[in-house]
Amino acid sequence: MRDGYLFGTRGFRASGADHFRTRLLGRRVLVLRGAEAARFFYEGGRFERAGAMPRSVLKLLQDEGSVQSLEGEAHRRRKELFLGLLTGPSGDALVERFRGEFRRRVDAVAGGDVVLLDFFHDVLTRAVSSWAGLPDDVAAELRETQVLAQMVDSAGTVGPENWAVRRRRARAEQLLADAVRREREMHAAPGGSPLTVVAGYTEPIPGVEPEPGAAPREHLLSPDVAAVELLNLLRPTVAVGRYLTFAALALHRHPGWRDDLAGGDEIGVRWFAQEVRRFYPFFPLIGGRATRDLEWRDEKVRRGDWVLLDLYGTSHDPALWDQPNRFLPQRFDGLVVEQNTLIPQGGGGYHDGHRCPGSRSPSACLTRASGC
């Protein structure tokens, strides 16, 4: 609580290494940073997410039965659902929805004072609700309650504030589960909106072995789990408002970049978006529990041990980044970024790991679409 985002950085400095042991929330924990640490953490099935994050965080950001809680083949299969929705024409359609909502809201607030983070939360909520094909009443309630933004805002809190947002989240899940039921009753054709796709998504029944030569028996997600996965499309999209706000802050502090980006410099936009992600990774760290006995450098990690990967510390690791505490988009000129070096939205494999399925493009696309 005292160190904030520098919790890991100060621990590494004190230990003289890129790992250290401490106690956090009453539990022993090993804290790591760096590209090798990210590879160790994300690849090889060494860690699982179950029991690795406080319940107050889990219930707001992931919830039980979600793609983040799965491992192995079950995770890979479920993640294909998200990759299909967040890339290609469907992902492009989300960016276009954002572009239209952004322009409309800019016109609506012209000449007035704007709290930029609230503005982007509103724009993104409108855009992603429309893109997802949510019923008008559901979209309106999500927008009015601001619950999608509150789930991110309150993830690091405990007590009454956290409980209140968890109740609002439960209400949002109920609305979305009802929308899934209605969608199924309509017998919607395959494809279509994300709501239709999630409502019609099937996967193998766990624990049921198919007959030799037969295809696995599949079932629909329960309405409750389908609602959780819809939230896993909606909430992270709204969370991108932080990156857009940080992009505006970076332009305020480094006005020399304004003309370059306004002039349509696509390469400059990409550099700038990547540096915003590196410099301002808004989630500090991620946790896992060892699935088996392991060894990291000179540290023994027993099965079930808690390990934290410092995302902020890795993004500001002087062993990986020249002048890490300076905002320098030009550092990406000719730089080939290894998948476990720039990890504000996770590391490891894009298709089979726990890297955010939208992390390849939305930050740059939405920055360009908003005219930042």
Side-chain angles (χ1 to χ4, degrees):
M1 294 297 291
R2 181 182 65 250
D3 291 338
Y5 276 53
L6 295 179
F7 163 74
T9 299
R10 289 173 176 165
F12 301 131
R13 187 180 302 136
S15 70
D18 284 340
H19 61 277
F20 64 92
R21 287 194 180 272
T22 187
R23 297 190 73 85
L24 189 62
L25 302 176
R27 298 169 61 185
R28 283 175 49 81
V29 62
L30 175 65
V31 187
L32 313 174
R33 76 170 176 187
E36 289 185 36
R39 190 176 300 109
F40 175 72
F41 184 87
Y42 278 107
E43 299 178 3
R46 299 181 182 94
F47 295 92
E48 62 183 2
R49 305 300 178 267
M53 296 298 284
R55 188 171 178 82
S56 57
V57 177
L58 174 70
K59 297 300 284 187
L60 284 186
L61 292 186
Q62 298 178 5
D63 214 342
E64 298 165 4
S66 70
V67 63
Q68 298 99 325
S69 67
L70 302 177
E71 302 294 340
E73 179 60 20
H75 172 265
R76 186 200 63 77
R77 174 73 182 262
R78 185 82 62 84
K79 190 170 182 180
E80 287 181 353
L81 169 68
F82 289 85
L83 291 171
L85 291 170
L86 292 169
T87 59
S90 179
D92 294 341
L94 174 56
V95 173
E96 287 306 311
R97 296 273 188 176
F98 171 81
R99 186 193 307 272
E101 289 293 344
F102 177 83
R103 309 244 180 224
R104 280 191 287 274
R105 297 304 297 162
V106 165
D107 291 340
V109 301
D113 291 336
V114 173
V115 178
L116 203 55
L117 183 59
D118 294 343
F119 171 83
F120 279 127
H121 281 164
D122 179 62
V123 170
L124 286 160
T125 299
R126 292 171 184 269
V128 74
S129 298
S130 173
W131 167 78
L134 300 185
D136 291 343
D137 59 331
V138 175
E141 185 163 336
L142 294 180
R143 187 172 65 250
E144 290 164 7
T145 61
Q146 303 177 23
V147 64
L148 298 175
Q150 291 172 2
M151 281 188 272
V152 180
D153 290 340
S154 300
T157 67
V158 294
E161 178 185 344
N162 187 276
W163 302 336
V165 179
R166 282 163 67 174
R167 286 194 295 271
R168 293 184 201 119
R169 174 182 171 127
R171 168 63 178 169
E173 286 186 17
Q174 178 186 347
L175 290 171
L176 293 170
D178 288 344
V180 168
R181 293 186 184 96
R182 296 202 301 268
E183 192 73 14
R184 288 174 178 172
E185 289 170 359
M186 294 169 59
H187 302 290
S193 71
L195 171 60
T196 301
V197 172
V198 173
Y201 170 78
T202 62
E203 61 187 14
I205 302 174
V208 176
E209 294 294 330
E211 296 291 335
R217 292 177 56 193
E218 301 206 345
H219 67 150
L220 296 167
L221 299 178
S222 73
D224 291 340
V225 172
V228 167
E229 299 298 34
L230 282 169
L231 280 180
N232 280 329
L233 289 167
L234 302 170
R235 182 197 62 255
T237 301
V238 174
V240 174
R242 279 169 160 70
Y243 280 128
L244 295 174
T245 303
F246 282 134
L249 176 63
L251 286 172
H252 172 70
R253 291 180 170 174
H254 308 279
W257 278 92
R258 293 182 187 177
D259 291 341
D260 290 341
L261 302 189
D265 181 356
E266 290 290 318
I267 295 176
V269 167
R270 174 65 59 177
W271 295 351
F272 187 85
Q274 293 289 64
E275 184 69 344
V276 167
R277 295 175 66 226
R278 184 199 71 83
F279 196 78
Y280 301 103
F282 67 79
F283 207 75
L285 44 80
I286 191 70
R289 292 174 65 244
T291 58
R292 57 186 184 272
D293 290 350
L294 301 165
E295 186 170 346
W296 170 252
R297 305 282 171 83
D298 55 345
E299 296 285 348
K300 300 290 186 182
V301 179
R302 302 300 183 191
R303 180 179 179 180
D305 280 359
W306 193 27
V307 174
L308 294 177
L309 177 66
D310 188 345
L311 305 179
Y312 182 91
T314 299
S315 295
H316 291 77
D317 183 356
L320 299 176
W321 306 98
D322 183 39
Q323 303 180 75
N325 294 317
R326 292 188 62 192
F327 186 85
L328 299 171
Q330 59 270 30
R331 73 173 71 248
F332 289 97
D333 183 6
L335 181 65
V336 177
V337 181
E338 198 266 337
Q339 67 180 13
N340 291 306
T341 299
L342 185 64
I343 57 168
Q345 290 151 295
Y350 182 71
H351 290 279
D352 58 358
H354 281 273
R355 180 183 292 274
C356 173
S359 65
R360 275 192 174 180
S361 58
S363 295
C365 289
L366 294 182
T367 300
R368 181 169 62 249
S370 66
C372 283

